[in-house]
């Protein structure tokens, strides 16, 4: 199993998973089908660490070449047959419609009817097969009610399995809880994702960026450590779902304190990625 990582937007990635024997390919979270931004320099993102009140800085190393999903498909000589979408938000799904137009017969899968160009809705526990690659679909509501994570492994392969967790789980953090209860989010993070094999790579990649396995996340990700005493003490709560609720509130406060992107910059970014149309000349 080979995974190509394609940086998109300002802080996001989409993935091309290749079955190396059959040369079948599966794309994950197609935000944009034809363009992906070059990284002009090292990009540093910050994650909040509740135990100390300090922050974890994650360095994403620069990539000097702009990658394009369809160009990579052609360059690799693979057949792109399927898109796996974690959730319906535009920065994970907006490219589905154009990609399906460009590739007739493309199958777009996910668990939420709001996903662009969805051809079939998946259910929790369903298993898919792409050559030697197995995919187990794990419903992980929290960020959205229809969020699906994808656990991948390959037969007779020494490489560890991988999970594509979208916005359900990130390095030392998780996505904002938008549509579900804290109890549902706790179940998704701790009882679904947190019980996968510890050697599982989170969003497996082949470019230099911050590595992460579930075993490592269980050591430092507070959203997976809601039953531990230091995290309980910080929140003043005991029940895991209540601890998670406080962590989410504190993280939201931290994010609100950060300087927001100026409207002009937002508009420029939207225009760059085709979210706005240029006015037609009269």
């Amino acid at each position: 199993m080979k995974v190509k990582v394609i940086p998109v937007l300002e802080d996001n990635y989409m993935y091309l998973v290749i079955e190396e024997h059959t040369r079948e390919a599966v794309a994950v979270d197609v935000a944009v089908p034809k363009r992906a931004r070059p990284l002009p320099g090292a990009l540093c993102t910050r994650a909040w660490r509740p135990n100390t009140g300090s922050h974890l800085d994650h360095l994403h190393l620069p990539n000097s070449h702009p990658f394009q999903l369809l160009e990579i498909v052609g360059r690799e000589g693979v057949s792109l047959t399927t898109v796996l979408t974690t959730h319906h938000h535009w920065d994970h799904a907006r490219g589905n419609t154009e990609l399906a137009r460009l590739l007739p017969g493309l199958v777009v899968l996910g668990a939420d009817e709001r996903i662009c160009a969805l051809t079939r809705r998946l259910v929790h526990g369903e298993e898919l097969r792409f050559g030697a690659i197995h995919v187990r679909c794990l419903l992980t509501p929290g960020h959205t009610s229809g969020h699906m994570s994808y656990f991948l492994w390959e037969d007779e392969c020494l490489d560890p399995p991988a999970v594509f967790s979208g916005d359900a789980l990130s390095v030392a953090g998780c996505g904002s809880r938008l549509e579900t209860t804290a109890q549902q989010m706790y179940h998704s993070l701790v009882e679904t994702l947190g019980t996968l094999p510890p050697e599982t790579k989170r969003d497996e990649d082949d470019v230099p960026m911050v590595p992460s396995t579930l075993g490592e996340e269980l050591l430092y990700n507070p959203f997976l450590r809601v039953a531990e005493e230091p995290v309980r003490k910080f929140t003043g709560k005991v029940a895991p779902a209540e601890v998670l609720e406080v962590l989410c509130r504190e993280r939201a406060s931290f994010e609100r304190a950060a300087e927001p992107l100026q409207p002009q910059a937002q508009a420029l970014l939207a225009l760059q990625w085709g979210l706005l149309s240029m006015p037609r000349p009269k």
Side-chain angles (χ1 to χ4, degrees):
M1 179 169 62
K2 181 178 181 180
V3 180
K4 305 293 292 185
V5 179
I6 308 170
V8 292
L9 307 172
E10 289 299 304
D11 58 355
N12 213 3
Y13 298 90
M14 57 184 174
Y15 305 88
L16 185 69
V17 183
I18 300 171
E19 209 283 14
E20 296 188 83
H21 298 291
T22 64
R23 307 305 294 169
E24 182 178 3
V26 177
V28 181
D29 280 357
V30 180
V32 286
K34 293 191 295 185
R35 299 181 58 200
R37 67 175 182 89
L39 299 181
L43 172 65
C44 186
T45 58
R46 309 194 78 193
W48 171 70
R49 181 166 54 189
N51 287 1
T52 63
S54 63
H55 308 104
L56 290 172
D57 288 335
H58 299 305
L59 183 65
H60 298 261
L61 298 179
N63 192 327
S64 59
H65 301 286
F67 288 116
Q68 299 182 14
L69 174 58
L70 295 182
E71 284 185 356
I72 294 176
V73 168
R75 187 183 310 140
E76 293 288 331
V78 298
S79 174
L80 178 57
T81 64
T82 306
V83 171
L84 299 176
T85 305
T86 59
H87 61 295
H88 74 282
H89 288 162
W90 70 269
D91 56 339
H92 290 257
R94 185 183 179 275
N96 291 350
T97 301
E98 185 176 356
L99 191 62
R101 181 183 64 80
L102 295 170
L103 299 176
L106 184 73
V107 176
V108 179
L109 303 176
D112 195 320
E113 292 179 348
R114 295 172 291 181
I115 291 172
C116 297
L118 186 71
T119 58
R120 186 168 71 82
R121 189 173 179 179
L122 299 169
V123 297
H124 177 69
E126 183 173 350
E127 294 200 1
L128 310 172
R129 187 77 178 264
F130 302 96
I133 299 175
H134 297 262
V135 180
R136 182 174 299 146
C137 305
L138 302 173
L139 191 62
T140 47
H143 184 61
T144 67
S145 59
H147 194 292
M148 184 73 83
S149 297
Y150 302 98
F151 178 62
L152 278 67
W153 74 98
E154 193 169 8
D155 288 338
E156 300 178 1
C157 181
L158 297 179
D159 293 336
V163 63
F164 294 90
S165 54
D167 282 345
L169 181 66
S170 58
V171 175
C174 66
S176 301
R177 181 176 66 83
L178 301 178
E179 298 181 350
T180 64
T181 66
Q183 183 64 45
Q184 288 174 302
M185 190 171 188
Y186 164 76
H187 184 275
S188 297
L189 291 174
V190 178
E191 298 182 3
T192 300
L193 295 176
T195 57
L196 293 175
E199 69 272 17
T200 300
K201 293 183 180 180
R202 192 201 63 81
D203 291 353
E204 182 180 27
D205 59 71
D206 64 354
V207 295
M209 54 187 289
V210 178
S212 177
T213 66
L214 284 178
E216 293 166 344
E217 292 295 327
L218 290 168
L219 292 176
Y220 53 65
N221 191 325
F223 298 93
L224 293 177
R225 299 172 54 225
V226 292
E228 296 182 17
E229 182 57 31
V231 184
R232 287 179 171 180
K233 183 177 180 180
F234 173 83
T235 62
K237 301 293 183 180
V238 175
E242 294 180 357
V243 174
L244 182 62
E245 180 75 29
V246 174
L247 291 178
C248 288
R249 287 203 304 267
E250 291 292 334
R251 192 265 309 280
S253 297
F254 167 75
E255 291 176 341
R256 284 195 297 270
E259 183 178 357
L261 191 64
Q262 296 300 315
Q264 296 90 340
Q266 290 179 324
L268 181 61
L269 182 64
L271 181 61
Q272 177 185 0
W273 289 104
L275 304 181
L276 299 176
S277 298
M278 289 288 290
R280 295 181 178 179
K282 296 181 179 179

